[in-house]
Amino acid sequence: MEQKKQNPTAENETLIVSRRIQRVSLHLAPVPRPLHEHDTQEQLGLFPCARSAKLEVETEKLSLYMRGKYREIQEKIYEYFHARPELQTPLEISKDDHRELCWRQMYGLIKEAGIRPLKYVAEDPAKYFAIVEAAGAVDISLGIKLGVQYSLWGGSVINLGTKKHKDKYFEGIDSLEYPGCFAMTELHHGSNVQGLQTVATFDPITDEFIINTPSDGAIKWWIGNAAVHGKFASVFAKLMLPAHDAKGVSDMGVHAFIVPIRDLKTHQALPGIEIHDCGHKVGLNGVDNGALRFTSVRIPRDNLLNRFGDVSRDGKYTSSLPTINKRFAATLGELVGGRVALASSSTSVLKIANAIAIRYSLLRQQFGPPKQPEVSILDYQSQQHKLMPMLASTYAFHFATSYLVEIYSQMKMTHDEQLVGDVHTLSAGLKAYVTSYTAKSLSVCREACGGHGYAAVNRFGILRNDHDIFQTFEGDNTVLLQQVAADLLKQYKQKFQGGTLAVTWNYLRESMNTYLSQPNPVTARWEGTEHLRDPKFQLDAFRYRTSRLLQSAAVRLRKHSKTLGGFGAWNRCLNHLLTLSESHIESVILAKFIETVEKCPDASTRAALKLVCDLYALNQIWNDIGTYRNVDYVAPNKAKAIHKLTDYLSFQVRNIAKELVDAFDLPNHVTRAPIAMQSEAYAQYTQYVGF
């Protein structure tokens, strides 16, 4: 026997391999077994309360309610790529090939599928974001490249320019004849846009602006579309005008200029333009990020995007806005669409990761009671704890970002000043919160799929790498959360001065009054399921926490500013302020989720969404139970009841997890993970490995 073990025959080797393949196939696509007399549906027996009837969910109705009126154009995009397998991104592809494929994908979408996104950027932003979401589901690089072309380059021309710019450039941008870049970020300045060093000096003799990169730190860096495909760039630079003083020039602040960077016919870099490739990145290698240096590049005066500030032929500056800061705020305010798109796209990535991990967890079987079939790993409480609250958060984010898109669209139509401020802060907060959550969740999903999750073919690594930068571009998440905190403190000050609160902050008036009184010792002990699942209790708890954090942050800032000054006090309280911002965004997310549930017309769909909403709310409360216990907002018995109910809700959501994931309506060629393709899993996975 020992000799046989050391020198197995070819026949034995074949038998061993066959058995292993058979075992893998049973894990990936288990053969249904009939229940015997001694078997039970509730195989693990962990939740006696789970014997209640399973909710009936009609996937089609739920999907229609979620995806709404833009489902058709997303289906058109999915069907186009399904019919063109040569345009689907292969697993193993070089940087250069990926860039060319990404260009062909975008070109095909515009020229063959007939998708023309630019008009929607201004006229119907919700439809534009739906297009970007669907494109990003095919390949995140495609979604980002589309965003660079239409939202950033095209959007800057539409939103910062005037009629003459739209007349000259709109059709070329829309048709891809004028591929372009958005050249804001510099090597030494990213988040601090007002600190940009690139200069555009007006020459009154030739009626031109001269664009210069004064130092290496001012090189435009990480510019999408610049390395290979871009022919134009919206260049953000300090506008310098001749002045009759010791300096000789006046700095009018950061403005945007249209700068041609390549010849339209030869595609060669134009004189004075130096273009370099930023090279291979951690992810998004279908996007050609480059670096731009300008040396005495002359452009016509008309190339100034002059909606908020203009220069006359004789060099005089005019603007409807009186200060540099107001012009700067107006300029950046027109660019918040990028943050809205990222919040929406990040939610889409989270949907894909959820779909893969949950479908795999339903298929994969491991262990079980003695002499009984192995059970689905999603029947284990630990797996439910990883994935079910995440699924609930995905639904919550979907409805919150849909609301953000809705009010952003209203803002674009009405230009309402109060709505502008509300959108600016909410887009900053949701972009930061959702992208951070998704980045962490991608690792959890990978781990939830065990060793198979580590295979590149199952997409978690690609999704994680491509999505990672979402936390940085369009505003670093830590910086964006500070913007939310600053606005909350401003609203807090206005509250006590009797001012009008912005739309999203209305709740502060009531909840701050509640906070300033002591928690009710009676309600702190209520632990009934009906009470804990009451939306009023859930939302009050979220808002109480936010109000408490806000009031204590204001007190701390006032105290420290006396000795450290404003900047030092802010830095001393920074972590507190970040927690405040996250708490506020969670309150907004829950409020929108509750509102969406209540508006749902179909009873069965509403019941399913209510279950998911309750899980989201109670899981968030439990995750910060220490805060509620410290101030006796929740008594010990109530905390225990919240924990127990959260586990129960996780199990109930597990029972409809397949329907909830199917409602995302993501085709197999979009998720493209063999471990999530049910009966196809074994054949596709083993074929990929080479069997």
Side-chain angles (χ1 to χ4, degrees):
M1 290 296 293
E2 187 66 21
Q3 188 176 1
K4 285 185 179 180
K5 284 183 180 179
Q6 292 176 358
N7 300 291
T9 64
E11 183 179 350
N12 285 338
E13 283 184 335
T14 302
L15 184 61
I16 291 168
V17 170
S18 297
R19 285 174 178 169
R20 294 195 66 183
I21 292 175
Q22 186 179 22
R23 286 172 185 168
V24 171
S25 69
L26 288 172
H27 289 318
L28 293 170
V31 177
R33 297 183 178 92
L35 286 172
H36 300 291
E37 290 181 7
H38 59 273
D39 289 340
T40 63
Q41 291 281 0
E42 188 187 320
Q43 290 176 324
L44 291 184
L46 295 177
F47 293 93
C49 54
R51 279 189 283 265
S52 57
K54 173 185 171 182
L55 281 173
E56 293 298 325
V57 183
E58 292 188 48
T59 302
E60 181 63 24
K61 287 183 178 179
L62 177 56
S63 181
L64 186 62
Y65 187 60
M66 287 184 68
R67 294 179 62 190
K69 58 183 178 179
Y70 301 114
R71 187 178 182 182
E72 186 178 333
I73 196 164
Q74 290 188 321
E75 291 295 339
K76 184 177 181 181
I77 293 170
Y78 293 148
E79 288 169 7
Y80 170 74
F81 284 104
H82 183 59
R84 297 291 302 275
E86 74 277 9
L87 291 180
Q88 294 178 25
T89 308
L91 183 63
E92 298 178 39
I93 186 171
S94 69
K95 167 178 65 67
D96 293 339
D97 287 346
H98 196 178
R99 288 173 172 181
E100 286 310 307
L101 175 61
C102 197
W103 172 259
R104 294 203 315 273
Q105 288 172 334
M106 184 165 69
Y107 193 86
L109 202 58
I110 306 307
K111 298 290 190 179
E112 296 176 9
I115 305 292
R116 300 300 284 264
L118 189 56
K119 66 179 179 180
Y120 303 128
V121 170
E123 296 175 9
D124 191 352
K127 191 168 188 176
Y128 169 74
F129 294 132
I131 291 169
V132 172
E133 179 184 353
V138 173
D139 185 331
I140 300 179
S141 285
L142 173 60
I144 297 302
K145 196 169 182 72
L146 205 66
V148 170
Q149 174 67 13
Y150 293 103
S151 180
L152 295 181
W153 155 232
S156 63
V157 173
I158 291 172
N159 296 321
L160 302 181
T162 50
K163 185 177 183 298
K164 63 183 178 183
H165 300 109
K166 296 170 193 174
D167 290 346
K168 184 174 181 179
Y169 292 100
F170 187 98
E171 180 55 34
I173 295 171
D174 197 34
S175 66
L176 289 182
E177 297 303 312
Y178 292 169
C181 320
F182 184 81
M184 178 182 279
T185 300
E186 295 177 356
L187 185 58
H188 283 182
H189 288 89
S191 299
N192 182 13
V193 178
Q194 280 187 297
L196 295 179
Q197 297 173 359
T198 302
V199 293
T201 306
F202 181 62
D203 181 351
I205 298 174
T206 62
D207 195 26
E208 294 174 316
F209 286 103
I210 307 170
I211 313 294
N212 271 296
T213 303
S215 65
D216 286 351
I219 296 171
K220 296 295 181 182
W221 207 269
W222 292 125
I223 310 304
N225 271 2
V228 179
H229 299 123
K231 295 181 179 179
F232 294 86
S234 291
V235 176
F236 287 77
K238 293 187 293 184
L239 195 164
M240 313 297 284
L241 293 178
H244 303 290
D245 57 21
K247 290 184 179 179
V249 291
S250 293
D251 183 352
M252 307 310 295
V254 174
H255 289 62
F257 303 82
I258 295 176
V259 181
I261 60 173
R262 286 187 173 93
D263 186 278
L264 288 175
K265 294 181 179 178
T266 67
H267 204 63
Q268 296 300 307
L270 293 170
I273 308 284
E274 193 177 338
I275 304 175
H276 291 274
D277 194 328
C278 287
H280 198 275
K281 307 184 293 291
V282 170
L284 292 181
N285 282 298
V287 182
D288 51 313
N289 293 88
L292 301 172
R293 184 199 291 271
F294 305 98
T295 305
S296 298
V297 176
R298 290 179 172 269
I299 59 172
R301 179 169 54 88
D302 276 352
N303 282 28
L304 166 65
L305 293 171
N306 61 339
R307 179 179 169 189
F308 298 117
D310 203 0
V311 176
S312 65
R313 177 66 185 85
D314 58 358
K316 290 182 180 178
Y317 186 84
T318 56
S319 174
S320 59
L321 302 170
T323 66
I324 286 179
N325 285 340
K326 285 188 178 294
R327 292 193 293 271
F328 178 74
T331 298
L332 290 194
E334 287 299 322
L335 303 175
V336 297
R339 294 174 185 170
V340 178
L342 282 182
S344 179
S345 296
S346 183
T347 303
S348 177
V349 173
L350 189 57
K351 289 176 188 176
I352 293 171
N354 267 263
I356 296 170
I358 290 172
R359 284 172 177 164
Y360 171 77
S361 297
L362 286 165
L363 292 167
R364 177 75 164 181
Q365 295 180 325
Q366 284 293 276
F367 306 108
K371 298 181 181 179
Q372 292 187 31
E374 290 185 303
V375 300
S376 161
I377 62 173
L378 198 56
D379 283 335
Y380 288 97
Q381 189 182 41
S382 55
Q383 194 79 343
Q384 292 167 17
H385 182 72
K386 288 177 185 175
L387 297 179
M388 295 304 97
M390 186 190 302
L391 179 58
S393 293
T394 305
Y395 268 79
F397 296 167
H398 171 85
F399 294 122
T401 54
S402 296
Y403 167 71
L404 175 60
V405 168
E406 179 186 327
I407 62 171
Y408 173 77
S409 300
Q410 291 174 12
M411 181 200 79
K412 297 295 288 182
M413 298 302 109
T414 65
H415 302 288
D416 179 84
E417 200 168 308
Q418 189 172 340
L419 202 54
V420 168
D422 206 27
V423 169
H424 174 75
T425 306
L426 186 57
S427 64
L430 275 175
K431 181 269 182 185
Y433 189 90
V434 172
T435 57
S436 293
Y437 184 94
T438 299
K440 296 181 181 73
S441 298
L442 286 165
S443 290
V444 174
C445 287
R446 202 292 301 158
E447 292 164 13
C449 294
H452 294 310
Y454 196 61
V457 71
N458 290 317
R459 293 203 71 192
F460 291 119
I462 296 167
L463 291 171
R464 186 165 55 186
N465 289 350
D466 283 350
H467 176 275
D468 193 60
I469 194 62
F470 280 38
Q471 300 173 92
T472 302
F473 60 23
E474 293 294 333
D476 175 86
N477 283 357
T478 302
V479 174
L480 294 182
L481 288 175
Q482 290 179 72
Q483 292 180 16
V484 177
D487 207 55
L488 282 165
L489 289 162
K490 177 183 173 184
Q491 300 289 338
Y492 173 81
K493 184 179 179 181
Q494 288 183 353
K495 189 266 179 193
F496 286 103
Q497 292 177 346
T500 302
L501 299 185
V503 177
T504 311
W505 286 259
N506 278 334
Y507 76 85
L508 286 174
R509 188 180 302 283
E510 183 179 342
S511 60
M512 282 304 300
N513 292 334
T514 303
Y515 166 68
L516 293 173
S517 61
Q518 292 298 314
N520 187 323
V522 177
T523 57
R525 285 164 174 74
W526 286 353
E527 57 182 280
T529 299
E530 185 176 347
H531 166 67
L532 297 180
R533 296 189 68 176
D534 184 347
K536 186 178 187 309
F537 157 70
Q538 297 165 1
L539 201 51
D540 282 350
F542 275 51
R543 289 172 169 178
Y544 180 88
R545 179 184 57 166
T546 303
S547 298
R548 184 175 186 277
L549 286 164
L550 177 55
Q551 197 271 346
S552 56
V555 170
R556 288 187 66 204
L557 285 168
R558 193 179 304 119
K559 171 188 172 184
H560 290 304
S561 62
K562 294 175 182 177
T563 55
L564 300 175
F567 181 85
W570 187 271
N571 194 35
R572 175 66 65 88
C573 301
L574 187 52
N575 288 335
H576 186 155
L577 295 167
L578 298 178
T579 303
L580 163 65
S581 299
E582 290 173 342
S583 177
H584 167 65
I585 294 302
E586 287 170 359
S587 297
V588 175
I589 291 170
L590 179 60
K592 291 303 140 191
F593 202 168
I594 290 170
E595 184 181 310
T596 305
V597 172
E598 291 172 347
K599 286 181 178 178
C600 182
D602 179 68
S604 63
T605 302
R606 187 168 60 252
L609 289 175
K610 177 68 169 71
L611 175 65
V612 177
C613 184
D614 288 342
L615 176 57
Y616 172 76
L618 293 176
N619 184 70
Q620 292 297 118
I621 292 172
W622 175 251
N623 285 342
D624 200 21
I625 199 67
T627 295
Y628 295 106
R629 284 290 302 114
N630 284 343
V631 295
D632 289 327
Y633 191 85
V634 170
N637 64 314
K638 189 170 187 173
K640 185 177 180 181
I642 290 171
H643 187 205
K644 185 176 180 181
L645 183 55
T646 302
D647 282 346
Y648 170 68
L649 293 174
S650 287
F651 188 87
Q652 292 290 4
V653 170
R654 176 260 177 267
N655 284 338
I656 58 171
K658 182 183 184 302
E659 291 86 348
L660 291 171
V661 167
D662 288 349
F664 295 154
D665 209 8
L666 297 168
N668 273 352
H669 71 274
V670 171
T671 54
R672 295 201 309 279
I675 57 170
M677 290 186 184
Q678 301 185 47
S679 61
E680 302 171 39
Y682 165 66
Q684 291 208 20
Y685 199 20
T686 53
Q687 183 179 12
Y688 171 75
V689 174
F691 289 108

